[in-house]
Amino acid sequence: MEASRFTRAAAVVALLGCLVTFVGPLALGAAPGVRGSVTLSAVVGAVFAGKNVLTVRERGRPRLAAGVMATVLGLWLVVAPLQYESVGAALTAVTQFGGMCLAAFSAYTALVAVEYYLGERDVLTDDTGYS
């Protein structure tokens, strides 16, 4: 079985969101507390998003657990910069952009996994993800 192009792309975009979020605090010279929190969250998100990429490639469908965990971490990355007073606008934007990519596209892959489980197997073989 082969996943749709959009499902494969969604898994990759979620992983790229982690990369953007990881590099942002390092490139923008964030304070140590913010840098540690955001980069560690990005690494953990990348573990789950990476598992989703591998599973889509190997099995042709995403994993629900990996998609849900990556979504939760992505949502945290959207909120994380708002928890600190010393975060600038650029770092907030980069972190929230990466977190949004991780959350939105991981949520999509989680929904594809649910559709597969419920018997909507034909959504995995067309280009759009819809019949």
Side-chain angles (χ1 to χ4, degrees):
M1 172 185 337
E2 186 161 333
S4 73
R5 282 187 277 176
F6 190 82
T7 302
R8 288 191 304 264
V12 170
V13 169
L15 188 56
L16 290 175
C18 294
L19 178 64
V20 167
T21 305
F22 180 82
V23 171
L26 301 174
L28 295 171
V34 177
R35 183 175 57 234
S37 173
V38 171
T39 57
L40 182 60
S41 297
V43 168
V44 175
V47 169
F48 292 109
K51 175 64 175 170
N52 233 0
V53 169
L54 289 174
T55 305
V56 167
R57 195 178 97 210
E58 292 171 357
R59 295 175 48 191
R61 62 183 186 268
R63 301 280 305 187
L64 177 62
V68 169
M69 289 303 298
T71 300
V72 169
L73 286 160
L75 292 173
W76 163 247
L77 288 169
V78 170
V79 175
L82 304 176
Q83 305 301 312
Y84 300 97
E85 293 179 14
S86 64
V87 178
L91 180 59
T92 298
V94 169
T95 303
Q96 287 183 333
F97 174 75
M100 183 178 55
C101 288
L102 177 60
F105 289 101
S106 293
Y108 174 81
T109 62
L111 290 174
V112 169
V114 169
E115 286 180 335
Y116 181 82
Y117 178 75
L118 294 176
E120 297 290 331
R121 288 171 175 82
D122 58 337
V123 299
L124 297 174
T125 56
D126 66 2
D127 281 344
T128 61
Y130 297 100
S131 302

